[in-house]
Amino acid sequence: MEQKNGLVIKSTGSRYTVLSDNGETVVCQIRGKIRLKGIKSTNPVSVGDRVVYDDDGSNEGVISKIEERKNYIIRKATNLSKESHIIAANVDQAVLIVTINYPMTSRVFVDRFIAASEAYGIPVTIIFNKTDRYDAKHMQILDDWRNLYEGIGYKTLAVSAKKQADLGEVEALLKNKISVLSGHSGVGKSTLINRVEPELNLKTAEISAIHQSGKHTTTFAEMHALSFGGYIIDTPGIRGFGLIHIEKEELYHYFKEIFEFAENCRFNNCSHYSEPGCSVKEAVESGNIALSRYESYLSILLNRNGKYR
């Protein structure tokens, strides 16, 4: 039995594909004691994890150790007995694919994703996709959204998978980085990836004309090597993105502009909802904080069941 080090590049249930440091791939399972460490997640090992595994030469291994993660990004688990599902670990950036229409991505969803990424120290870029389908009204909305998020400090791109120049921008963004790509089903993640890296040939599906939403084509997270350097992690389409392990008192820290104005609130423990002397509410009224961002903050803060969505 030989111990080896590697990178988890694919996760399917209880089996993990590991790329060893010498370039070999091996399918691994988890050693039992790792499962019993009280990790409140549906997947104690995730794509992007650096691991130590035991290899007996049969092209099947057993993961015995997970190296310390520099970061990770999570969503609420569908398994009610667990708290969270780790989407990816050890990433350099999170790239959120957004569409103004075909289908429509809500600003609350965008803001939840950004806050979750901020909470775990992952830089965010927003790619607005399908611009070739937008009319003048859509383009005005697109400009408004880009001005909002760039004004806060986030990088944005507006692209069409049909335009080669746009693909060059996306390639430059992804080059030599480990990037997790996410977004609602139907926003064109797989199509965009296939145009940037045709060899991957990821499965795509048409948008449902009735519901204006995408069919799920990615059912598990997988890491793909890019020919021009770096990796992308394609994730399942996420209909509801969760903020896990974040106290309500900390939430405003992950809205950059709210955190900035909160410094001048009358009370140190201000929730920026109903207290007097709240500088955040004053900034919203004066237009220094966008109403949509404040409403997203309140949507998370005041969730009826007391948990973040």
Side-chain angles (χ1 to χ4, degrees):
M1 189 76 68
E2 182 180 0
Q3 277 202 332
K4 295 183 178 179
N5 298 294
L7 173 70
V8 178
I9 60 173
K10 187 175 180 179
S11 167
T12 53
S14 61
R15 299 176 70 83
Y16 306 89
T17 303
V18 177
L19 176 66
S20 72
D21 289 350
N22 62 9
E24 300 173 345
T25 57
V26 59
V27 177
C28 294
Q29 296 186 12
I30 306 173
R31 179 160 290 164
K33 66 180 182 180
I34 292 181
R35 291 184 177 278
L36 300 176
K37 285 186 176 179
I39 301 174
K40 294 184 178 180
S41 169
T42 57
N43 57 331
V45 177
S46 74
V47 166
D49 271 328
R50 295 285 310 175
V51 297
V52 179
Y53 67 95
D54 298 324
D55 186 359
D56 63 3
S58 65
N59 202 36
E60 290 193 4
V62 178
I63 295 173
S64 57
K65 181 182 179 183
I66 306 169
E67 302 289 0
E68 184 177 354
R69 294 168 174 144
K70 73 175 183 179
N71 58 38
Y72 54 90
I73 195 164
I74 59 180
R75 65 175 177 179
K76 185 188 294 184
T78 55
N79 180 348
L80 296 179
S81 67
K82 304 290 184 179
E83 288 188 4
S84 60
H85 178 85
I86 302 171
I87 298 171
N90 301 318
V91 300
D92 296 317
Q93 62 181 348
V95 179
L96 182 62
I97 313 297
V98 171
T99 42
I100 299 299
N101 207 344
Y102 315 111
M104 174 72 175
T105 304
S106 75
R107 290 205 195 191
V108 174
F109 175 82
V110 175
D111 292 335
R112 284 179 188 154
F113 184 92
I114 290 173
S117 300
E118 287 281 351
Y120 297 104
I122 302 172
V124 179
T125 295
I126 304 170
I127 295 181
F128 294 93
N129 196 21
K130 302 188 181 182
T131 58
D132 57 289
R133 302 191 63 179
Y134 297 166
D135 58 21
K137 180 180 178 181
H138 293 142
M139 292 304 292
Q140 182 58 58
I141 295 171
L142 172 63
D143 288 343
D144 291 344
W145 282 39
R146 293 191 72 186
N147 288 336
L148 168 63
Y149 289 106
E150 288 183 359
I152 297 169
Y154 297 104
K155 179 181 176 66
T156 74
L157 297 176
V159 306
S160 164
K162 296 181 178 180
K163 297 180 181 179
Q164 197 61 43
D166 291 354
L167 298 178
E169 284 190 276
V170 176
E171 179 178 319
L173 174 69
L174 301 176
K175 187 175 182 179
N176 295 328
K177 293 183 178 179
I178 296 178
S179 307
V180 57
L181 272 65
S182 196
H184 284 312
S185 295
V187 297
K189 294 191 307 293
S190 297
T191 299
L192 192 61
I193 294 169
N194 285 342
R195 288 298 311 279
V196 171
E197 190 66 86
E199 292 295 318
L200 294 179
N201 195 28
L202 301 182
K203 185 179 178 183
T204 61
E206 294 298 318
I207 297 294
S208 163
I210 297 175
H211 300 292
Q212 282 292 298
S213 61
K215 301 175 183 178
H216 289 278
T217 56
T218 306
T219 57
F220 49 81
E222 183 170 1
M223 177 179 282
H224 305 280
L226 297 170
S227 61
F228 48 85
Y231 291 89
I232 55 170
I233 301 172
D234 189 23
T235 65
I238 301 172
R239 294 186 183 276
F241 195 84
L243 290 169
I244 313 295
H245 306 150
I246 298 173
E247 298 295 332
K248 289 189 181 246
E249 294 78 14
E250 299 175 354
L251 176 62
Y252 76 94
H253 293 203
Y254 309 119
F255 283 73
K256 287 183 178 180
E257 69 279 42
I258 292 178
F259 180 73
E260 178 183 349
F261 281 95
E263 184 179 1
N264 296 318
C265 287
R266 181 184 301 175
F267 302 108
N268 290 334
N269 61 347
C270 185
S271 70
H272 320 299
Y273 172 53
S274 59
E275 295 88 347
C278 175
S279 294
V280 169
K281 290 191 294 181
E282 292 172 2
V284 175
E285 291 171 2
S286 65
N288 289 313
I289 292 177
L291 179 60
S292 67
R293 288 277 289 172
Y294 182 63
E295 288 176 340
S296 292
Y297 167 76
L298 292 183
S299 173
I300 300 168
L301 185 75
L302 303 177
N303 185 287
R304 283 182 303 174
N305 62 11
K307 296 180 180 178
Y308 297 125
R309 298 185 211 178

